[in-house]
Amino acid sequence: MKPIFLLTLPLLLGAPVLYTQAGAQSAAALAKVDVADMGIQTAREKKYPGSALKVLTNLRAGANYSRQVVSYQSGGLSIRALLTVPTGTPPKGGWPTIVFNHGYIPPNVYRTTERYVAYQDAFARAGYLTLKSDYRGHGSSGGEALGGYYSPGYTDDVMNALGSLKRDKRVNAARIGMWGHSMGGFLTLRAMVIDPSIKAGVIWAGVVGDYNDMMTKWTSKVPASIPQGVLNLRKKAVAKYGTPASNPEFWNSLSANSYLKDLNGPLQLHIGTADEDVAVVFHTTLSRDLKAIGKPVASYVYPGDNHNLSRNLRTALNRSVQFFKDNL
């Protein structure tokens, strides 16, 4: 789940940053983490009101859209995000909208206006309002970064981003989709089984295996920037609840893959066969399982391509934009 580096569309990318060891999370925050809070039913019982989007900075406009750094509320925390809004008269009901869920980037060097700019630009140019959340503990967002897989904070931030957009008068709340890369794909799949109002999802190189596959089939090298305290959350969870093999009922209750029948919209999945960061089997298994239960899914596998689909970037973007045009 390395940070994204694009070799094409260079004029759309932010300035490069140096990646260093992320700051240690507080012992108190880590001690409060209980993986049981990741339960899908638990997540469904929560409220995600979000808040009005507060404009913090007006940025240079895109080709046919405005760009702003905004903030919204998530569980008492102020979360930063990058908002794009098409110029011109919105369609009846408001703009179709895409929630953008980024992959892993060391939280202490994360910046709202860097990385994924070219991706967000593609959808903004196509007439979509987009919102890319920073997640708690990233950049100037409040809270602590405890990872997305064993603590529910990032899921809460994505759901409150969705809640914030639903209350925005510029947004057509009946036409909201999600796009996610890597860890953001994990968050996208979770969000879609938590809230059936999400009409369509696109996942690139997603961490979309269940917990058993994540623990047994994900052999990629762990980024050195992830603090040991966050890595230890998995050990803590297994010590308390056992492994997915020994306690499948518990771990299945945390996994979006156990609730695929509740998806209310189609998925489009992309993966490169040379992905060194996320196991390709996550993609193939999810695609197979969706087809087995009759859920609509489009699967694109790019031979020899990497985690960021650099060799097929324009093709993958075009397919993603068209997918949302067809389904939102």
Side-chain angles (χ1 to χ4, degrees):
M1 298 176 297
K2 295 176 182 175
I4 189 164
F5 294 97
L6 297 181
L7 301 179
T8 55
L9 304 176
L11 296 180
L12 297 176
L13 294 175
V17 295
L18 297 176
Y19 289 86
T20 58
Q21 182 72 22
Q25 279 63 31
S26 73
L30 290 166
K32 292 179 181 177
V33 174
D34 188 334
V35 74
D37 295 332
M38 293 290 288
I40 298 298
Q41 292 294 352
T42 299
R44 289 173 171 175
E45 292 168 6
K46 288 184 179 180
K47 302 296 184 182
Y48 304 102
S51 67
L53 296 173
K54 180 181 178 181
V55 176
L56 303 177
T57 308
N58 287 300
L59 303 172
R60 186 174 64 181
N64 59 344
Y65 59 92
S66 64
R67 300 171 68 239
Q68 297 172 318
V69 176
V70 299
S71 67
Y72 66 91
Q73 294 297 303
S74 178
L77 300 173
S78 178
I79 304 298
R80 302 291 178 96
L82 180 58
L83 173 71
T84 72
V85 181
T87 55
T89 304
K92 184 178 180 180
W95 296 109
T97 295
I98 299 171
V99 181
F100 233 79
N101 299 325
H102 68 78
Y104 173 75
I105 297 172
N108 69 323
V109 298
Y110 180 92
R111 300 293 181 270
T112 307
T113 55
E114 294 170 352
R115 308 306 169 205
Y116 295 93
V117 177
Y119 292 45
Q120 207 169 355
D121 173 83
F123 297 107
R125 284 173 178 262
Y128 293 95
L129 185 150
T130 73
L131 184 73
K132 176 177 68 69
S133 299
D134 293 356
Y135 314 145
R136 60 191 60 197
H138 286 67
S140 298
S141 289
E144 298 190 58
L146 300 175
Y149 306 119
Y150 296 92
S151 176
Y154 297 178
T155 298
D156 290 351
D157 297 340
V158 167
M159 298 305 298
N160 278 301
L162 178 65
S164 299
L165 288 167
K166 287 180 178 180
R167 62 193 292 170
D168 194 299
K169 294 181 179 180
R170 296 168 292 185
V171 170
N172 187 332
R175 299 179 66 191
I176 298 179
M178 279 194 178
W179 182 97
H181 175 245
S182 196
M183 179 181 70
F186 174 86
L187 299 172
T188 296
L189 189 61
R190 284 181 62 80
M192 290 185 71
V193 301
I194 291 168
D195 188 340
S197 72
I198 303 168
K199 296 301 183 184
V202 174
I203 296 175
W204 288 24
V207 182
V208 289
D210 62 22
Y211 276 92
N212 184 63
D213 282 355
M214 287 170 62
M215 290 188 190
T216 62
K217 297 180 181 179
W218 196 2
T219 58
S220 303
K221 185 177 179 180
V222 177
S225 54
I226 299 179
Q228 190 60 47
V230 172
L231 294 178
N232 286 342
L233 292 176
R234 170 177 159 175
K235 296 179 181 178
K236 175 183 173 182
V238 170
K240 185 173 183 179
Y241 296 104
T243 65
S246 66
N247 191 2
E249 183 177 358
F250 172 77
W251 288 100
N252 288 342
S253 73
L254 313 186
S255 175
N257 303 66
S258 302
Y259 296 85
L260 297 179
K261 62 180 177 59
D262 297 332
L263 287 169
N264 196 37
L267 277 167
Q268 186 187 71
L269 308 176
H270 301 253
I271 193 76
T273 63
D275 193 324
E276 296 181 351
D277 302 290
V278 168
V280 177
V281 69
F282 294 167
H283 171 108
T284 54
T285 299
L286 176 60
S287 178
R288 180 202 66 198
D289 291 348
L290 288 167
K291 292 175 181 177
I293 60 173
K295 290 294 183 179
V297 58
S299 168
Y300 295 102
V301 178
Y302 302 91
D305 213 344
N306 60 20
H307 188 53
N308 301 321
L309 305 182
S310 300
R311 295 182 181 180
N312 294 277
L313 180 63
R314 180 50 61 188
T315 297
L317 282 173
N318 288 344
R319 284 172 170 169
S320 300
V321 170
Q322 188 61 50
F323 176 81
F324 283 124
K325 286 184 177 180
D326 293 340
N327 292 285
L328 281 188

